[in-house]
């Protein structure tokens, strides 16, 4: 396993983020101030939240590219969901981490969007009402694959690694069932992840992965490519074997 894909390196990143003596209680991102609780993924320690905002067209202080309804899985401190709600998007934010749920509610109150942002404590889609449908479902995933038998040492580690890609499998299986007729299910993935493993899960679950956007950033000294994927039910016109040359992920037209 390359160092950039090492789950041990990612677990160390989690540990350092939690124990950083300069970890703030409030941080700045996208032209706004945000509360940050302990045990919640810190956007200041990773470029992934900023990249996700860019992928979704939510980088401006007054974003205008949000869909009419959004479900964000793994909301963390709530930056993405709040930014979407600020553009009058009806938003549901979900996280398995109770501290993240509280943190997102705090930031919804800070920015005055509690009327259009609902926050749920949920393991992926488990807490959703039956029949809930969204124009967009989005997950900026914990893309580093840990061994299937790995036992999490803290809830914070769940933001960094996915044991056996069990959560990725469930997302690929279930996300498309929570879309409107014209909706899209999106996955923010990364070169730190196991692209071939994800492609295998997509095939096993009857899903296609379409590369929508790519962006490479330096993480420490490592150039790391981030990818925005659309998850779709497998179709009859898929180009069998075609792959995006940059990411190694399957391309479907």
């Amino acid at each position: 396993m390359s160092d950039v894909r090492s789950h041990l390196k990612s677990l160390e990143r989690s540990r350092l983020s939690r124990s950083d003596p300069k970890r703030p209680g409030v941080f700045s991102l996208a032209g706004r101030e945000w509360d940050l609780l302990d045990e919640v993924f810190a956007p200041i320690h990773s470029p992934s939240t900023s990249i996700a905002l860019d992928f979704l067209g939510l980088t401006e202080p007054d974003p205008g590219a949000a869909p009419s309804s959004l479900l964000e899985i793994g909301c963390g401190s709530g930056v993405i969901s709040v930014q979407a709600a600020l553009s009058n998007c009806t938003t549901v934010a979900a996280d398995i981490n109770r501290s993240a749920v509280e943190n997102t509610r705090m930031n919804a109150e800070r920015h005055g969007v509690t009327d259009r942002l609902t926050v749920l404590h949920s393991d992926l889609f488990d807490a959703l009402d039956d029949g809930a449908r969204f124009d967009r479902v989005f997950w900026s995933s914990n893309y580093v694959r840990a061994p299937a038998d790995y036992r999490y040492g803290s809830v914070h580690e769940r933001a960094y690694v996915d044991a056996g890609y069990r959560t990725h499998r469930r997302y690929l299986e279930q996300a498309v069932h929570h879309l409107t007729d014209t909706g899209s299910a999106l996955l923010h993935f990364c070169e730190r992840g196991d692209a071939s493993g994800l492609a295998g899960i997509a095939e096993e679950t009857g899903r296609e992965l379409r590369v929508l956007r790519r962006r490479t950033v330096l993480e420490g000294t490592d150039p790391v490519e981030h990818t925005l994927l659309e998850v779709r039910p497998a179709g009859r016109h898929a180009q069998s074997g075609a792959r995006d040359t940059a990411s190694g992920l399957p391309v479907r037209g």
Side-chain angles (χ1 to χ4, degrees):
M1 179 184 295
S2 68
D3 188 47
V4 75
R5 294 181 177 87
S6 167
H7 76 283
L8 296 177
K9 182 172 182 178
S10 289
L11 291 172
E12 177 67 4
R13 287 156 61 89
S14 170
R15 185 190 67 79
L16 291 174
S17 177
R18 292 175 65 209
S19 62
D20 183 356
K22 296 182 180 180
R23 180 183 169 100
V26 176
F27 66 94
S28 299
L29 187 64
R32 302 183 189 278
E33 298 292 304
W34 308 88
D35 292 302
L36 179 63
L37 297 181
D38 294 341
E39 295 297 330
V40 176
F41 179 85
I44 59 169
H45 293 151
S46 168
S48 61
T49 302
S50 293
I51 293 170
L53 287 170
D54 179 53
F55 279 164
L56 295 174
L58 298 173
T59 53
E60 298 300 322
D62 295 306
S68 60
S69 61
L70 168 72
L71 168 64
E72 184 191 8
I73 298 297
C75 56
S77 59
V79 174
I80 293 168
S81 287
V82 169
Q83 285 285 102
L86 284 165
S87 65
N88 295 316
C89 171
T90 301
T91 305
V92 175
D95 206 296
I96 195 171
N97 181 348
R98 290 187 182 276
S99 293
V101 172
E102 180 184 357
N103 205 158
T104 297
R105 286 176 177 153
M106 290 171 64
N107 281 317
E109 291 177 2
R110 173 186 275 269
H111 296 293
V113 294
T114 56
D115 60 327
R116 51 191 178 277
L117 173 54
T118 301
V119 191
L120 301 175
H121 176 240
S122 183
D123 183 357
L124 288 179
F125 308 98
D126 289 353
L128 288 178
D129 292 337
D130 291 342
R133 299 292 183 269
F134 303 87
D135 293 323
R136 187 171 296 163
V137 175
F138 175 73
W139 180 33
S140 185
S141 81
N142 50 350
Y143 29 69
V144 175
R145 186 172 193 159
D149 61 354
Y150 180 71
R151 298 175 66 88
Y152 293 103
S154 70
V155 69
H156 191 268
E157 290 182 353
R158 291 182 178 271
Y160 284 79
V161 301
D162 182 14
Y165 267 12
R166 287 188 290 271
T167 307
H168 282 79
R169 178 178 293 276
R170 290 177 58 208
Y171 185 82
L172 294 191
E173 288 175 339
Q174 299 173 21
V176 298
H177 299 308
H178 297 278
L179 298 175
T180 61
D181 290 342
T182 58
S184 58
L186 305 179
L187 175 67
H188 174 189
F189 201 66
C190 174
E191 187 180 358
R192 293 186 183 277
D194 178 1
S196 62
L198 184 70
I201 292 171
E203 184 174 357
E204 292 165 8
T205 56
R207 299 291 179 256
E208 298 173 2
L209 300 175
R210 180 186 179 199
V211 177
L212 299 182
R213 295 189 63 184
R214 296 191 298 267
R215 181 176 167 188
T216 299
V217 297
L218 279 178
E219 299 190 24
T221 60
D222 299 319
V224 177
E225 183 183 73
H226 291 249
T227 309
L228 181 65
L229 301 171
E230 183 180 14
V231 181
R232 303 191 295 187
R236 292 178 297 175
H237 303 294
Q239 301 173 18
S240 177
R243 288 186 178 270
D244 179 80
T245 56
S247 67
L249 288 161
V251 176
R252 301 290 184 255

